[in-house]
Amino acid sequence: MNKRIEKAVEAIMNIQDNYELTEVIQAIKLKQTYLQQSAKRNFVAGDKVEFDSRSGATMQGTIDRIKQKYILVVVKGNSGYPMRYNVPATMLRKVA
């Protein structure tokens, strides 16, 4: 952990009031939404992307559609049929 994160965690641990804790939680949720929206703007339909699956394998596919919360990625399955995954934009990486 870097120093900035350590200071933030320490400040959160020193909170004694539920109201203050709720304010911190709201700020974190707003920042998460902002980062997700910013990441989403970097992609357009047709981009080649990759992401790590739950099992740890790297999946490569093409963006089919950009939704409100997720990006729909089409990946060719082992059986030859395309598989569709809803992936958060923050998990995607562009493939050159």
Side-chain angles (χ1 to χ4, degrees):
M1 249 191 296
N2 70 35
K3 294 281 185 189
R4 191 172 48 161
I5 294 172
E6 287 178 10
K7 285 182 181 180
V9 170
E10 184 179 335
I12 290 170
M13 295 304 290
N14 289 329
I15 291 175
Q16 300 296 323
D17 184 2
N18 195 37
Y19 174 76
E20 291 176 357
L21 187 60
T22 303
E23 291 293 315
V24 170
I25 291 169
Q26 283 182 329
I28 290 171
K29 287 180 180 180
L30 283 171
K31 186 64 176 184
Q32 280 181 322
T33 301
Y34 172 78
L35 292 173
Q36 289 168 351
Q37 294 297 324
S38 295
K40 203 163 61 166
R41 286 186 208 102
N42 293 327
F43 298 105
V44 293
D47 282 351
K48 302 283 186 199
V49 293
E50 68 180 11
F51 62 95
D52 297 326
S53 70
R54 290 181 180 165
S55 64
T58 300
M59 310 284 282
Q60 289 190 350
T62 306
I63 293 178
D64 184 42
R65 186 168 54 139
I66 298 180
K67 300 175 165 185
Q68 280 187 327
K69 271 189 134 174
Y70 299 103
I71 294 179
L72 185 62
V73 179
V74 178
V75 176
K76 286 193 178 180
N78 293 338
S79 60
Y81 294 106
M83 299 172 65
R84 305 176 111 177
Y85 293 92
N86 282 315
V87 184
T90 54
M91 289 181 62
L92 292 176
R93 300 178 298 274
K94 284 190 177 182
V95 176

